[in-house]
Amino acid sequence: MPDITRFAPSPTGGLHLGHVASALSGWRPANESGGRFVLRIEDIDPGRCRAAFAHELMSDLHWLGLRWPEPVRWQSRHLGDYAQVLARLGERGLVYPCFCTRRDIADEIAASAHAPHHAPDGSVIYPGTCRDLPAWRRDALLAAGTPHALRLDMERALSVPGARDLTWHERGQGRQKCRPELFGDVVLARKDVLASYHLCVTHDDALQGITLVTRGEDLRPATSLHRLLQHLMGWAEPQYAHHPLLCDASGRRLAKRDRAMTIAAMREQGMSPHDVRAAAGYPGPLA
């Protein structure tokens, strides 16, 4: 069957070789199967994302020879879609408001006399402070307009029939066991970012009919959580293919925060699209 894949960057800086490698990992199976390669702009974080970066990365991708169907989906223009998902989860009692600040969470963990537990992505697992707030207290805080996040009630989510037996298909490796409980009560919306990456990416993959999710190995653990959200919402299950991360000569992962050389800079130095694709691990022609 033809693969429908996607490349979904966050426009927080210039495109670098690691991004190119990720984009090409999706382009290859779509191209070879006669499928479709989709571009999505994941710009839900207004504090970090810039439209100028998005237009720059699209220009770089075009220069590299990549093409995609229009219109491109900008997540910031569809916040109502994600609000509807949160409302549906809320109606089923699967999310709850969390009024804790980071300081509150740190103090709660310190008072427990236990070392903090960490999720597979390195984040501290929420101790559940607001999960069992009395209804009158929760309602009073909401009525007062107290800033809050929305968290997935993991235990309730796992009580949905079939949720504890989820797997995913990793292409080339077969079925993998999901362990969403390792993430605890994850945030699905913050006061400043109205929907989380986890919620938006699973919603949009389903909406756009993505059949093969290609992404870096660092996101493999999150697949458990994404499969749970797909199960809760009745969304189709795609296959997955997690690729090794591209590293520099010292073995360190290429990242924006480390000022990895941008594709724009490589273009200015006279590198050709073929040169850049080859440096990203794709030496052959695109077509």
Side-chain angles (χ1 to χ4, degrees):
M1 295 293 292
D3 289 317
I4 303 175
T5 66
R6 46 77 166 171
F7 177 51
S10 294
T12 58
L15 208 68
H16 59 65
L17 276 181
H19 296 124
V20 175
S22 184
L24 291 172
S25 75
W27 172 271
R28 186 194 301 265
N31 182 58
E32 292 178 348
S33 68
R36 186 167 73 252
F37 172 79
V38 174
L39 177 67
R40 180 192 308 153
I41 304 299
E42 297 194 342
D43 60 335
I44 57 171
D45 188 339
R48 301 177 61 237
C49 297
R50 299 288 182 271
F53 288 138
H55 291 299
E56 179 184 316
L57 71 85
M58 285 191 277
S59 174
D60 287 339
L61 292 171
H62 266 287
W63 177 77
L64 285 165
L66 298 178
R67 300 292 183 268
W68 50 84
E70 297 287 349
V72 171
R73 182 176 175 87
W74 296 60
Q75 289 185 335
S76 63
R77 301 174 186 176
H78 300 279
L79 295 178
D81 292 352
Y82 313 127
Q84 290 181 17
V85 176
L86 289 166
R88 289 172 61 188
L89 291 172
E91 290 167 358
R92 297 163 62 190
L94 297 177
V95 297
Y96 63 88
C98 173
F99 306 94
C100 296
T101 64
R102 291 183 180 179
R103 171 58 65 183
D104 293 334
I105 295 173
D107 289 346
E108 178 76 14
I109 292 173
S112 71
H114 296 291
H117 298 287
H118 291 84
D121 60 4
S123 62
V124 174
I125 293 180
Y126 179 63
T129 309
C130 291
R131 184 190 308 119
D132 298 317
L133 277 180
W136 66 266
R137 176 61 174 159
R138 181 178 294 174
D139 292 343
L141 289 169
L142 291 172
T146 307
H148 63 277
L150 289 176
R151 290 184 178 274
L152 178 69
D153 189 322
M154 184 59 73
E155 191 58 36
R156 286 194 177 187
L158 291 175
S159 71
V160 172
R164 292 188 182 274
D165 302 315
L166 292 172
T167 61
W168 83 84
H169 181 88
E170 183 75 17
R171 186 161 290 189
Q173 299 179 24
R175 304 304 299 187
Q176 309 291 311
K177 173 66 177 175
C178 292
R179 298 292 304 279
E181 68 276 8
L182 298 179
F183 287 84
D185 292 359
V186 295
V187 170
L188 295 184
R190 300 201 317 254
K191 61 180 180 180
D192 54 337
V193 181
L194 301 182
S196 72
Y197 159 75
H198 300 300
L199 185 144
C200 294
V201 72
T202 49
H203 172 277
D204 288 354
D205 285 345
L207 178 71
Q208 296 183 299
I210 304 303
T211 62
L212 175 63
V213 174
T214 61
R215 58 190 182 190
E217 185 68 26
D218 57 323
L219 288 171
R220 177 189 285 258
T223 309
S224 290
L225 182 56
H226 297 175
R227 284 288 297 116
L228 176 60
L229 291 172
Q230 290 161 359
H231 181 71
L232 296 177
M233 297 303 300
W235 293 331
E237 175 194 351
Q239 294 188 7
Y240 292 85
H242 295 92
H243 59 79
L245 301 178
L246 200 62
C247 299
D248 60 20
S250 66
R252 206 163 79 171
R253 171 192 173 188
L254 296 179
K256 295 173 190 173
R257 64 178 177 272
D258 297 326
R259 299 184 179 180
M261 181 177 286
T262 64
I263 305 308
M266 294 179 178
R267 294 171 65 174
E268 292 174 1
Q269 291 181 1
M271 294 182 70
S272 70
H274 178 273
D275 294 335
V276 175
R277 294 196 305 264
Y282 195 109
L286 287 183

